[in-house]
Amino acid sequence: MKLLIVLVVLCLGVVTLTEAARPVSTEVVQKLKELEPVYKQLQDKVISEVAGAKLATATATDSFYKGVIADKETSLTRSIQLEDDMTYQFNGQASSVDASCLQMLRSIVDMNMNVAGFGYTNCVNNVEAGVKAELARVYQLLQVDESELFDISLLDVFKGENIISNPAKIIAKLTEKRSEIDGISLSFVADINAAVNAYSSRLGDMQNEYKTCLLGNESVLKGSFESTKNQLVQTCLGAIV
């Protein structure tokens, strides 16, 4: 019985000594535990920034299209109002005005509206070509290869090493690994944000150009209707009502 107690005590003593004699081996695991969340934080940062930039691009594009549609609606409404005003003039003429002359002017108004339709098409085609090119450009800049940033293994520090006999070398490698992760440049974040901001700015410029195109189209249409009014008075011998 005494012999058994002695053996148990000796065994416990060996375990205690073993644990006490290898604190560096235990430190390896602790260092690894500390490093893992740092690596995860880097991954989250990269993924979040890239996703955020792409979302901002999509939001800017959506806002642009809504603006273009609203501008088209406003311009089209004004053009139709111009046509309605001309129709009002024709309908308000006295019965003494030559009907065939009025009909000819009605045809001219209809043709001018159709020509204005080509102008609207040209305006929207130009802006669509522009936004398509800008989208291709910005998404090319947003093609961040995350694999290049994540090409870091946390476990390769054990390759060729022994956590029991020489844990200090592994700890040194883990320290280098931490420096490697901390040293990864996130300058691309500023680059992609700048690309998105530049994209939004160019969309604003294109929308202004689109508005100018629409106004130019309206101006030509309005000018043609003014000529028609002159023809109504001078050629058809009608009157402005």
Side-chain angles (χ1 to χ4, degrees), residues 38-205:
V38 175
Y39 179 58
K40 178 63 165 57
Q41 186 177 24
L42 171 66
Q43 289 182 313
D44 290 348
K45 175 73 172 176
V46 171
I47 293 172
S48 175
E49 291 291 346
V50 173
K54 290 180 178 179
L55 180 60
T57 298
T59 300
T61 305
D62 178 63
S63 178
F64 169 77
Y65 277 127
K66 286 179 178 177
V68 166
I69 292 170
D71 291 338
K72 175 178 279 294
E73 182 180 29
T74 300
S75 181
L76 184 60
T77 299
R78 286 196 294 256
S79 294
I80 293 174
Q81 184 60 53
L82 289 173
E83 181 185 30
D84 289 344
D85 290 344
M86 285 304 307
T87 300
Y88 176 79
Q89 293 296 326
F90 296 146
N91 292 340
Q93 297 305 306
S95 57
S96 59
V97 176
D98 191 308
S100 60
C101 188
L102 285 178
Q103 184 56 44
M104 185 66 69
L105 291 183
R106 288 180 187 274
S107 297
I108 291 173
V109 167
D110 185 60
M111 289 181 62
N112 283 330
M113 285 295 291
N114 289 336
V115 171
F118 285 108
Y120 281 123
T121 298
N122 291 336
C123 290
V124 76
N125 284 347
N126 289 339
V127 78
E128 176 60 18
V131 73
K132 185 176 181 180
E134 290 298 337
L135 271 173
R137 179 179 177 182
V138 73
Y139 276 115
Q140 180 64 35
L141 294 173
L142 293 179
Q143 293 304 311
V144 178
D145 188 359
E146 293 95 335
S147 65
E148 293 182 2
L149 296 171
F150 298 157
D151 189 22
I152 300 175
S153 172
L154 299 184
L155 304 179
D156 60 356
V157 294
F158 293 97
K159 188 176 295 184
E161 305 297 345
N162 189 314
I163 192 172
I164 301 298
S165 64
N166 198 352
K169 291 185 66 176
I170 300 176
I171 290 177
K173 286 185 177 182
L174 285 171
T175 301
E176 291 178 5
K177 187 74 67 175
R178 174 62 184 266
S179 297
E180 182 182 357
I181 292 174
D182 290 341
I184 289 178
S185 174
L186 293 181
S187 61
F188 77 92
V189 172
D191 293 340
I192 61 176
N193 287 335
V196 172
N197 291 336
Y199 171 70
S200 298
S201 177
R202 288 192 295 271
L203 287 187
D205 292 340

Side-chain angles (χ1 to χ4, degrees), residues 202-239:
R202 288 192 295 271
L203 287 187
D205 292 340
M206 282 191 292
Q207 187 169 352
N208 288 333
E209 291 172 5
Y210 179 65
K211 289 180 180 179
T212 300
C213 184
L214 294 178
L215 290 174
N217 196 45
E218 289 177 44
S219 178
V220 171
L221 181 63
K222 187 174 182 179
S224 71
F225 286 168
E226 289 299 321
S227 295
T228 300
K229 286 181 180 179
N230 289 333
Q231 289 177 317
L232 172 63
V233 174
Q234 297 177 14
T235 305
C236 297
L237 303 180

